[in-house]
Amino acid sequence: MSEKTEVATRERVTGRPRLLIKQKAGFVYCPGCHHPLVARAVAEVLEELKVDDKAIGVFDIGCNSFLVGLLDIDGVLTPHGRPPDMATAVKHIYPDNVVFTIQGDGGLLSIGADPLMGALSRAEKITLIMLNNAVYGTTGGQMAPTSLAGQITTTTPEGRDVSKTGFPIHAAEMIATFKGTAYSARGAVNNPYNYERTREYLKAAFQKQMSNVGLSFVEVICDCPSNWHLSPADSLKWIEEKMIPEFPLGEFKNVDKIE
Amino acid sequence: MSERMFIEGNVAIAWGATMAGCQAFFGYPITPQNEITEWFAREFPRMGRVFVQTQSELGSINMLYGAAATGVRAMTSSSSPGWSLMQETVSDLMNAELPCVIVDVQRGGPGGGPIRHAQQDYFQCTRGGGHGDYRNIVLTPASSQECCDLTQLAFHLADKYRNPVLVMSDAIVGRLRETVEVAAIDFGPVPAKDWAVAGKARHGDGKRRVVDHCGDLFARYPSYQALLQSLDKRIKRMQEAEVRYEDYQTEDAKTILVAYGYTARVSKEAVNTARAEGIKAGLIRLITAWPFPYEVIGQKARQGSKFLVVEDSLGQLLEDVRVAVPSSADVGLVSILDRHMPSDGGMILPDKVLAKIKEMQ
Amino acid sequence: MVTSEVIIDEEQCQGCGYCVKFCPRGCILITGDKFSPQGYLLPSFVKPDECNTCGFCAMLCPRAAIEVYLNFGSEVPA
């Protein structure tokens, strides 16, 4: 009988993803902000799919612009609203790369409506990611295309009046109606279950691009504690009680082939 | 390759871009440059190069930004109203230091009514229609041959300075068919672009690259001042090295015409007729509207020449000539109001220019 | 002997409290007596014996400031 000995083992269960850059100085996100959490999910998915060497991220102006400093991949920062255009050009020039965009709800649906429609109309094989926190965060909390009815913002101080300013846009459902869309989903990162599901949505979205099926889109409900004027814990409650009922989570389109 | 073709200026621009190794073209329909977009739509896919018809001129300029960020030679083309839409991103291209070529085939303005030729984008192109302190080199072809050759020069200068370069044509030069010797001009090797984005696998050191248009905010420059100093240096380098113009019979000229594009050809005709009648007239034809040949004009002014600006606008190039000439009394103008007929097809013709030359004697 | 280690990087932490909220066993608490260099109230890993290394604390940390380790002995040939 052979002799055995006990060796002390220290196993890393989980922690910072390799592609998520640790910033010592200049970290701009507010406590509890979900932006860097989504970056974490993207980092984990890119590592899992082994495409970090091929990934090119295209970032909009807005709080999402600072994500360019968090992800250790090639990145392009663009003028406000324009990422789908830059991503289109990059993808045509380097079709083998995984090209994705990250924008806010204002960036994609308001000023970015022109590039968005262009990408959808041409069915570009890129992955669009939209962080939906129902305000323009970087500029101090103005009404956004996804602001809820009655929501108080700096440009709707009495609450959003739908008879004057319309209704929140449901991007994931809308994008799912386009023939060239291979994948459209909405997730959230307000609890571990939703985080895991969102990570799966992101993975599916990238895989649609890698298999050359069509355009893929993931909307992620995020908080904005500073502009919602809520603590991080209360922001999570706001997401659960107000945002998710308005913007249901799930996959709205998932096809393997587009004729 | 070298081939003799009978083609219009717009198509010559497309050939010039192809000779220069342009890999990507993005365009949106707008009169009077649809021939350019349609040429690329036909030819580029056959060559394995990228063509995208965009959803708007905003799409065109922003896709150009994306392509330029990958380091490939890329171009877009538009006309005056579309060029207006592009201004924010041109400002961003400057901060981002991205080389690219933008073609403006000028048409009338302001507004959307006049779709035929004019020369009213001079300020917009030479002063930079977008926000902030920047300048672009502006090349002004006056023939189909120059459309082909100056477009190639544009790509070379864009890479040399890491700056957008404009080719400012007009609807007459664009639609005029002439004989063109289409051949690649050798400007030397294209500079390496280690800064370009292409996915980490393509970089020798495996480290990521980032292209941004907020160089001060994202620490590409240590401060806003540092960014401005770099831009200032670049602008001065371009001003010192890239002035180009044609000197036509100005050695003994007492009346010197200043013009570019189609009005330069009209002016040349007027100069020839004037000379035949014994008037010592000459022409300085801009090949770069920016940087502007202030020095040669100032020199001629000090030697006693008077100037006649011939431009199809209310007076934009006029102001640059006035800067160079000590006394504004010595600067005359043949303007868009002197066209031969009132519709938007009216042109400045040699007879009007000749009459003005005689008036100035 | 199996022990869990939850290491919170006190320079990165912004005191948002998500780790506290999502730990199923209440192993992390903001005790109110520790501040980060930026002045955020820091959490502490107060119940290491209850921890089952589920990793939720690390997963939901917006600053990826938490590393989770499992220490155990494994038998190997001598």
Side-chain angles (χ1 to χ4, degrees):
Chain A
M1 192 171 95
S2 58
E3 296 229 341
K4 288 211 178 188
T5 184
E6 191 158 288
V7 169
T9 309
R10 188 172 187 248
E11 189 183 284
R12 183 178 181 263
V13 176
T14 186
R16 171 180 291 273
R18 179 175 52 86
L19 285 182
L20 199 64
I21 295 171
K22 184 177 191 171
Q23 287 182 336
K24 284 288 178 78
F27 189 89
V28 302
Y29 291 106
C30 307
C33 175
H34 283 159
H35 274 59
L37 198 51
V38 176
R40 183 205 175 95
V42 170
E44 286 175 344
V45 169
L46 292 177
E47 280 175 34
E48 197 186 330
L49 293 173
K50 298 191 172 43
V51 292
D52 44 309
D53 272 4
K54 298 206 294 190
I56 299 177
V58 183
F59 304 89
D60 198 348
I61 288 292
C63 285
N64 46 88
S65 65
F66 305 107
L67 296 177
V68 77
L70 283 185
L71 285 169
D72 190 14
I73 55 173
D74 272 11
V76 182
L77 184 68
T78 81
H80 194 24
R82 309 295 152 190
D85 284 337
M86 282 71 172
T88 295
V90 173
K91 184 72 181 179
H92 277 262
I93 288 165
Y94 289 128
D96 291 337
N97 283 60
V98 175
V99 184
F100 67 94
T101 67
I102 303 191
Q103 300 176 258
D105 45 280
L108 182 69
L109 299 174
S110 191
I111 188 170
D114 165 301
L116 172 63
M117 283 303 293
L120 290 169
S121 139
R122 291 182 310 267
E124 300 291 351
K125 296 186 176 67
I126 52 181
T127 301
L128 309 180
I129 299 171
M130 181 181 97
L131 306 187
N132 178 0
N133 59 12
V135 283
Y136 280 91
T138 330
T139 44
Q142 294 80 17
M143 182 188 88
T146 53
S147 294
L148 306 174
Q151 184 177 338
I152 295 177
T153 70
T154 62
T155 48
T156 57
E158 313 284 324
R160 182 177 188 176
D161 179 354
V162 296
S163 72
K164 294 208 174 87
T165 62
F167 304 86
I169 296 178
H170 293 83
E173 291 89 331
M174 177 182 85
I175 290 171
T177 64
F178 285 78
K179 186 151 186 201
T181 300
Y183 187 81
S184 180
R186 181 185 292 114
V189 290
N190 61 320
N191 60 47
Y193 176 71
N194 285 342
Y195 178 88
E196 289 277 6
R197 290 270 302 274
T198 301
R199 198 169 52 188
E200 291 304 307
Y201 296 157
L202 288 167
K203 185 164 148 189
F206 285 126
Q207 280 169 328
K208 294 297 174 194
Q209 183 182 153
M210 289 157 72
S211 311
N212 223 32
V213 185
L215 183 143
S216 51
F217 175 73
V218 179
E219 176 180 338
V220 185
I221 308 278
C222 289
D223 66 0
C224 184
S226 298
N227 290 305
W228 292 355
H229 305 284
L230 297 172
S231 69
D234 286 343
S235 300
L236 298 183
K237 258 211 296 210
W238 178 271
I239 289 179
E240 204 178 295
E241 291 170 7
K242 298 279 161 76
M243 296 281 284
I244 291 178
E246 175 70 42
F247 302 108
L249 307 183
E251 287 182 340
F252 297 93
K253 188 171 185 192
N254 184 343
V255 299
D256 290 322
K257 200 158 179 218
I258 295 174
E259 246 101 69
Chain B
M1 122 174 204
S2 175
E3 203 177 315
R4 204 169 154 83
M5 303 183 191
F6 183 60
I7 51 177
E8 59 193 60
N10 282 344
V11 172
I13 284 177
W15 276 111
T18 308
M19 293 293 108
C22 175
Q23 289 299 315
F25 177 85
F26 310 97
Y28 184 74
I30 183 170
T31 308
Q33 56 86 65
N34 292 316
E35 295 71 29
I36 300 179
T37 310
E38 288 163 5
W39 189 95
F40 283 109
R42 241 180 6 252
E43 304 294 335
F44 259 24
R46 276 191 228 163
M47 297 182 198
R49 305 191 197 189
V50 172
F51 166 79
V52 181
Q53 181 180 326
T54 63
Q55 70 279 3
S56 70
E57 286 86 358
L58 287 167
S60 300
I61 191 69
N62 287 290
M63 287 192 204
L64 185 62
Y65 179 113
T70 67
V72 305
R73 287 190 159 181
M75 185 171 99
T76 187
S77 165
S78 189
S79 182
S80 314
W83 167 233
S84 290
L85 284 178
M86 296 182 174
Q87 300 309 309
E88 184 204 7
T89 298
V90 176
S91 168
D92 295 324
L93 286 164
M94 289 302 306
N95 185 311
E97 296 174 284
L98 292 175
C100 58
V101 173
I102 304 163
V103 177
D104 175 20
V105 182
Q106 295 175 92
R107 74 186 228 182
I115 61 159
R116 302 180 65 173
H117 54 276
Q119 291 181 321
Q120 298 170 316
D121 297 350
Y122 184 87
F123 279 154
Q124 213 184 5
C125 291
T126 60
R127 299 311 191 257
H131 61 287
D133 265 320
Y134 69 89
R135 291 289 184 271
N136 305 310
I137 295 175
V138 181
L139 299 170
T140 50
S143 66
S144 284
Q145 184 67 57
E146 280 203 327
C147 282
C148 180
D149 296 345
L150 291 182
T151 301
Q152 296 188 57
L153 175 64
F155 280 99
H156 165 70
L157 293 175
D159 277 339
K160 180 175 173 183
Y161 293 101
R162 271 186 71 175
N163 218 62
V165 173
L166 307 184
V167 176
M168 184 168 69
S169 171
D170 60 65
I172 290 181
V173 171
R175 305 304 320 278
L176 190 62
R177 279 203 193 197
E178 300 184 284
T179 314
V180 178
E181 206 64 61
V182 175
I185 303 173
D186 184 14
F187 291 104
V190 178
K193 295 175 184 173
D194 190 46
W195 48 266
V197 160
K200 282 195 297 193
R202 288 196 175 84
H203 304 311
D205 58 4
K207 293 205 171 86
R208 73 192 195 119
R209 304 292 193 265
V210 175
V211 165
D212 72 82
H213 65 296
C214 307
D216 46 313
L217 191 59
F218 282 83
R220 184 161 35 94
Y221 283 93
S223 68
Y224 182 40
Q225 271 289 299
L227 168 72
L228 292 171
Q229 279 163 0
S230 166
L231 282 173
D232 189 44
K233 276 202 200 110
R234 195 185 332 157
I235 289 171
K236 293 192 161 93
R237 273 171 41 221
M238 294 193 285
Q239 278 173 318
E240 275 155 38
E242 305 300 341
V243 176
R244 286 173 172 78
Y245 57 91
E246 183 193 346
D247 208 322
Y248 184 72
Q249 304 211 31
T250 64
E251 304 76 30
D252 63 339
K254 284 281 163 257
T255 311
I256 298 182
L257 278 58
V258 184
Y260 70 94
Y262 98 83
T263 48
R265 295 176 68 156
V266 168
S267 300
K268 220 180 235 193
E269 172 86 3
V271 163
N272 291 339
T273 313
R275 284 271 175 185
E277 294 182 18
I279 300 171
K280 291 197 195 325
L283 165 71
I284 288 177
R285 178 176 76 86
L286 306 183
I287 297 175
T288 56
W290 193 94
F292 187 81
Y294 294 109
E295 225 179 274
V296 65
I297 291 178
Q299 196 186 50
K300 300 285 183 193
R302 283 189 295 277
Q303 288 167 6
S305 299
K306 292 191 174 182
F307 294 86
L308 178 61
V309 174
V310 183
E311 61 169 329
D312 207 10
S313 84
L314 289 173
Q316 297 187 19
L317 163 59
L318 174 71
E319 298 202 3
D320 268 338
V321 175
R322 281 202 179 130
V323 166
V325 174
S327 166
S328 55
D330 294 337
V331 183
L333 174 67
V334 175
S335 80
I336 196 169
L337 297 176
D338 295 311
R339 282 180 167 192
H340 82 289
M341 64 181 192
S343 74
D344 70 341
M347 290 174 62
I348 293 175
L349 292 177
D351 60 328
K352 268 281 172 37
V353 180
L354 183 63
K356 193 73 190 202
I357 293 174
K358 289 185 174 162
E359 222 180 276
M360 288 175 73
Q361 299 311 304
Chain C
M1 172 81 173
V2 177
T3 58
S4 311
E5 255 186 278
V6 167
I7 305 170
I8 302 172
D9 186 331
E10 297 185 349
E11 270 180 13
Q12 298 275 311
C13 176
Q14 288 179 292
C16 71
Y18 289 168
C19 52
V20 174
K21 185 178 164 69
F22 289 113
C23 174
R25 293 175 168 195
C27 301
I28 303 177
L29 288 178
I30 292 183
T31 48
D33 57 348
K34 269 199 311 185
F35 289 90
S36 80
Q38 285 86 39
Y40 295 114
L41 270 174
L42 287 172
S44 301
F45 181 49
V46 294
K47 296 192 195 151
D49 296 337
E50 304 266 343
C51 174
N52 66 355
T53 62
C54 71
F56 283 177
C57 53
M59 181 198 280
L60 270 291
C61 174
R63 295 235 28 193
I66 299 181
E67 300 283 311
V68 179
Y69 287 90
L70 191 61
N71 296 301
F72 55 96
S74 48
E75 282 201 345
V76 294

